[in-house]
Amino acid sequence: MRVAVIGVGYVGLVSGACFAQFGHHVHCVDKDPQRIAALCAGRMPIYEPHLDALVADNVAAGRLTFGTDLAAAVRDAEVVFIAVGTPARRGDGHADLAHVFACCRDIAQAIQGYTVVVTKSTVPVGTGDRVEHIMRVVQPQGAFAVVSNPEFLREGAAIADFQHPDRIVIGTQDERARAIMTNLYRPLAEAAVPLFFTTRRTAELVKYAANAFLAMKIGFVNEMADLCERADADVAGVAYGIGLDRRIGAQFLQPGPGFGGSCFPKDIQALIKSAQDYGVPSRIIETVAAANEQRKRSMARRLIKACGGSVRGLTIAVLGLTFKADTDDVREAPATSIITALQDEGAEVRAYDPQGMDQARALMPDIAYATDPYSCVAGAHAVAIVTEWSAFRTLDLARLRSRMAGPVLVDYRNIIPAAEAAEAGFRHVGIGRRSVTAERPAPRIDLTQPQGAVLPELAIAAG
């Protein structure tokens, strides 16, 4: 099939490359000529594992192309995806749909034959109706259908999520559009992935509801972690124990410094605003959002307390700047709140991240950046692990400690075994468990599965 994707940001580029891998002919369009030029030269505008190879393979096969001419791309396409950004609108938290509406006007002017116009961008319930109205005003006799097809891609695992999804949600009651979307996703349908057809408004709300629910699980386990610290329990055991309940599930039960990124914070705010517009209370979601913001702001106090109550004049090393591992995205990252609070308390901050430092420099130009973890901690009085990069799980702890001026290791992701940190001379402070030193070892919690059990879906995973 001939597919056009408008917008080569995170969603558009990953979706376009994966559709091309399915065998469709995909033309990705963006109004930024520099971004298109970079893609044509094989340079990715975002970091996503294996995306560069996927793009290169499909470009070489002639199935994936890039350009800036939206009209030409739409004229040749059977399906047009709108994958432009919908950031939080400045001032009120509503989703900013200006790019979506501008895009649909341009599409309406360019379509020639029957075209399925798909909103892949995350949009509030009712947006598809407005898109269709705008297009009908521009092209009253146009032959098209507007469909909602929300994405459920995790940064750092987007390609796997696209190629092996839990479900495909498609919002349309147009039978012709339904047949075309079925054909588009045929490789997944043949692999027994459920294609869930529903109304357009229902599909739009599924995306927001899913993100809000996952954020709620993160917020819940973070509150349980705080209780565990006071009650001398261990949150890892609590999370494992409740995760074994199939009604709850184990994913998104990893405690940490709060959620961030490009999706959860803005999507939750947009859902809250939609609920307010419809006059529906959303107290649970509002509480999740407020609790998360408070948690991110409070995380620096954990490190300050570990340093004796003051960090003025101390050097603090921060490992991890992105909101999660395997991405270069620092939007709404907990590290930003932690670093700002440490600076406000008089600390000198030095930071390192495997992929996010270029993005971080634009937000935090006044901190020092290191080239690796060991140079980052040189002379530091404390080190904070804020992002769960795999490289941080295998740090040489003895080497790390030998380069530092102080013994404090605050592990906001619980990725360093507390006993190993204590053996290396650290005072280990985790999340949801008591701090550990060589004199105060961590209790042993056996999280092994019962003999013979097969429970792969119960592996505790961060979002």
Side-chain angles (χ1 to χ4, degrees):
M1 297 180 67
R2 300 184 305 279
V3 178
V5 178
I6 314 302
V8 291
Y10 188 84
V11 173
L13 183 55
V14 172
S15 299
C18 288
F19 278 129
Q21 185 70 13
F22 289 168
H24 301 303
H25 292 274
V26 181
H27 187 62
C28 293
V29 177
D30 199 278
K31 64 181 181 180
D32 185 344
Q34 293 183 333
R35 177 168 285 204
I36 292 299
L39 283 166
C40 290
R43 299 191 302 273
M44 299 299 103
I46 59 172
Y47 174 75
E48 177 66 27
H50 314 300
L51 181 60
D52 52 352
L54 184 68
V55 169
D57 288 347
N58 284 282
V59 168
R63 294 188 297 265
L64 181 62
T65 55
F66 302 99
T68 58
D69 191 339
L70 182 148
V74 170
R75 281 196 302 268
D76 293 337
E78 301 166 77
V79 182
V80 178
F81 282 92
I82 299 174
V84 297
T86 54
R89 196 164 65 193
R90 187 169 297 177
D92 64 7
H94 281 279
D96 187 345
L97 301 177
H99 296 303
V100 172
F101 295 148
C103 187
C104 72
R105 291 187 187 96
D106 293 338
I107 292 170
Q109 292 173 345
I111 58 175
Q112 293 184 347
Y114 181 83
T115 307
V116 177
V117 179
V118 185
T119 52
K120 199 72 170 172
S121 303
T122 300
V123 296
V125 59
T127 300
D129 296 352
R130 297 175 66 184
V131 168
E132 183 170 1
H133 173 74
I134 291 169
M135 293 186 64
R136 290 294 176 199
V137 170
V138 175
Q139 189 71 275
Q141 305 303 318
F144 62 85
V146 176
V147 174
S148 173
N149 177 214
E151 54 83 18
F152 301 96
L153 307 180
R154 295 170 299 162
E155 293 190 42
I159 294 171
D161 285 348
F162 194 102
Q163 295 178 342
H164 307 282
D166 297 323
R167 76 290 200 199
I168 302 296
V169 178
I170 302 171
T172 184
Q173 292 178 296
D174 184 296
E175 289 302 320
R176 189 173 179 183
R178 177 177 178 138
I180 289 173
M181 294 299 290
T182 299
N183 192 33
L184 181 71
Y185 281 109
R186 189 171 302 282
L188 294 180
E190 290 176 348
V193 173
L195 266 60
F196 170 44
F197 284 92
T198 184
T199 66
R200 193 163 58 200
R201 284 182 169 232
T202 301
E204 290 168 341
L205 195 50
V206 165
K207 168 66 176 181
Y208 279 116
N211 277 358
F213 191 85
L214 295 174
M216 183 176 66
K217 290 186 72 174
I218 295 172
F220 176 82
V221 78
N222 281 339
E223 291 193 348
M224 290 300 99
D226 292 344
L227 178 58
C228 284
E229 291 174 11
R230 294 293 183 92
D232 200 21
D234 194 298
V235 72
V238 172
Y240 186 78
I242 65 175
L244 288 170
D245 188 325
R246 295 181 184 275
R247 298 168 300 175
I248 297 173
Q251 292 195 5
F252 288 81
L253 287 180
Q254 179 64 44
F259 57 79
S262 63
C263 292
F264 281 10
K266 77 174 182 68
D267 289 355
I268 289 173
Q269 287 300 323
L271 182 57
I272 291 170
K273 294 300 180 181
S274 291
Q276 291 172 352
D277 289 345
Y278 284 96
V280 177
S282 56
R283 299 293 179 256
I284 293 175
I285 306 168
E286 290 171 1
T287 301
V288 169
N292 188 65
E293 286 305 305
Q294 189 278 332
R295 184 171 188 82
K296 288 195 291 186
R297 290 195 300 268
S298 71
M299 283 294 101
R301 293 199 294 269
R302 181 179 299 264
L303 190 149
I304 293 168
K305 180 181 178 181
C307 290
S310 175
V311 291
R312 187 165 300 278
L314 301 185
T315 298
I316 309 298
V318 174
L319 300 182
L321 297 169
T322 55
F323 83 96
K324 62 178 290 187
D326 295 322
T327 181
D328 61 353
D329 196 341
V330 299
R331 287 173 288 184
E332 303 288 340
T336 304
S337 298
I338 293 170
I339 289 171
T340 299
L342 292 174
Q343 289 179 311
D344 289 344
E345 293 297 319
E348 295 291 328
V349 178
R350 189 185 305 128
Y352 168 75
D353 188 277
Q355 293 292 337
M357 290 197 292
D358 287 344
Q359 304 287 347
R361 283 189 180 96
L363 292 177
M364 299 178 288
D366 56 342
I367 67 173
Y369 292 90
T371 56
D372 62 79
Y374 301 100
S375 61
C376 184
V377 304
H381 300 87
V383 56
I385 299 177
V386 187
T387 311
E388 67 279 23
W389 285 95
S390 294
F392 297 160
R393 297 176 185 272
T394 56
L395 289 167
D396 184 333
L397 297 179
R399 180 184 174 193
L400 204 72
R401 178 66 186 91
S402 70
R403 297 181 66 84
M404 293 176 59
V408 174
L409 190 164
V410 179
D411 184 1
Y412 288 103
R413 301 289 182 171
N414 289 346
I415 64 173
I416 301 296
E420 293 181 15
E423 185 177 353
F426 281 107
R427 181 187 174 208
H428 182 277
V429 179
I431 299 290
R433 53 182 53 153
R434 67 186 186 184
S435 61
V436 175
T437 63
E439 293 75 30
R440 189 185 187 192
R444 183 177 183 273
I445 298 179
D446 187 1
L447 299 183
T448 58
Q449 297 176 3
Q451 184 67 31
V454 181
L455 300 172
E457 73 276 16
L458 294 177
I460 295 174

